[in-house]
């Protein structure tokens, strides 16, 4: 995305970046600065929804995290509005964690990890929500038409029947949708969404 951006008179613009993460942005700032120099950067901690690696936190912890994020977002907004400039750098640990995480991420992106249970009703929501546009219904069931995806897990989290799984690790795990997410997903009573 950043490599495709074109700026005119970029020397005269105030530039900021806000990264959203479930734990740490690791080395995201360095990745951003490969393409554009930023005057201000902040990370916004949100609930971690990577259910292929872990169970979701307890509902109360998620609510607390969302409340803290609202407060943090207000502070970030104030800094951006006043055009705060900060000399920001990330340490060696961030670079190490990013390099390690990228390798795991690249391995996990293969779409043959996804499977569909018999609970699938062929509603097509997975197809509509896939930001990569690679899910298509074939005979009423989703298929992934690319070798890899961005691993956003939208298909897993938004399936109203929890029919889309990532291997066996997501079976029985609670799905997460941000409270402000599109309410087009409706789940039956036996399906747990945060």
């Amino acid at each position: 995305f950043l490599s495709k951006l074109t700026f005119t008179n970029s020397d005269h613009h105030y530039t900021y970046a806000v990264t959203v993460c479930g734990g740490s942005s690791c080395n995201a700032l360095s990745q951003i600065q490969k393409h554009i120099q930023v005057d201000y950067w902040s990370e916004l901690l949100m609930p971690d929804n990577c259910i292929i690696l872990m169970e979701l936190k307890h509902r109360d912890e998620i609510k607390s995290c969302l409340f803290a994020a609202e407060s943090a977002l207000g502070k970030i907004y104030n800094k951006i509005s006043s055009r705060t400039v900060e000399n920001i750098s990330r340490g060696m640990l961030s670079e190490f964690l990013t390099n390690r995480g990228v390798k795991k991420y690249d391995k996990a992106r293969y779409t043959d990890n996804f499977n569909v249970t018999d609970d699938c009703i062929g509603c097509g929501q997975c197809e509509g929500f896939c930001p990569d546009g690679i899910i298509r219904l074939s005979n009423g069931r989703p298929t992934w038409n690319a070798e890899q995806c961005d691993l956003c897990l939208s298909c897993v989290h938004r399936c109203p029947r929890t029919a889309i799984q990532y291997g066996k690790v997501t079976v029985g795990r609670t799905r997460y949708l941000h409270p402000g997410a599109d309410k087009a997903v409706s789940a039956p009573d036996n399906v747990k969404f945060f």
Side-chain angles (χ1 to χ4, degrees):
F1 169 76
L2 290 173
S3 65
K4 295 178 183 177
L5 288 177
T6 304
F7 296 93
T8 56
N9 300 323
S10 59
D11 295 338
H12 306 290
H13 294 292
Y14 173 75
T15 309
Y16 63 90
V18 178
T19 53
V20 179
C21 60
S24 170
S25 294
C26 293
N27 207 30
L29 177 62
S30 295
Q31 298 299 315
I32 292 167
Q33 288 180 325
K34 286 180 181 179
H35 304 283
I36 183 170
Q37 201 60 35
V38 296
D39 299 303
Y40 172 77
W41 169 78
S42 185
E43 66 182 9
L44 184 64
L45 185 63
M46 296 293 286
D48 196 330
N49 65 352
C50 191
I51 64 171
I52 65 171
L53 296 178
M54 67 196 79
E55 289 276 0
L56 291 180
K57 290 185 176 179
H58 186 272
R59 177 182 303 265
D60 292 340
E61 291 178 275
I62 292 174
K63 285 181 181 178
S64 178
C65 181
L66 291 171
F67 182 77
E70 283 292 323
S71 175
L73 193 55
K75 292 174 185 171
I76 293 168
Y77 174 80
N78 289 337
K79 288 194 173 207
I80 293 169
S81 294
S82 64
R83 295 187 179 272
T84 299
V85 175
E86 292 182 0
N87 185 8
I88 311 150
S89 65
R90 300 294 282 197
M92 296 285 287
L93 179 60
S94 295
E95 189 171 338
F96 170 76
L97 291 173
T98 296
N99 291 337
R100 187 173 169 202
V102 165
K103 289 175 185 172
K104 286 185 174 187
Y105 169 74
D106 284 340
K107 185 177 179 182
R109 292 178 55 210
Y110 286 94
T111 57
D112 59 359
N113 292 313
F114 293 97
N115 61 77
V116 183
T117 71
D118 290 336
D119 293 326
C120 178
I121 57 173
C123 68
Q125 288 190 54
C126 51
E127 181 179 31
F129 284 122
C130 179
D132 292 330
I134 63 168
I135 299 176
R136 296 285 181 260
L137 287 186
S138 175
N139 297 320
R141 293 176 68 81
T143 58
W144 285 256
N145 296 314
E147 190 174 300
Q148 290 184 313
C149 70
D150 286 333
L151 201 62
C152 72
L153 301 177
S154 183
C155 57
V156 174
H157 285 287
R158 290 181 173 265
C159 178
R161 307 297 281 177
T162 61
I164 298 176
Q165 303 294 339
Y166 183 90
K168 294 181 180 179
V169 297
T170 57
V171 175
R173 288 190 173 172
T174 302
R175 284 15 183 190
Y176 174 80
L177 290 177
H178 183 277
D182 182 356
K183 299 299 183 191
V185 176
S186 57
D189 292 336
N190 65 333
V191 175
K192 301 178 293 182
F193 283 109
F194 167 77

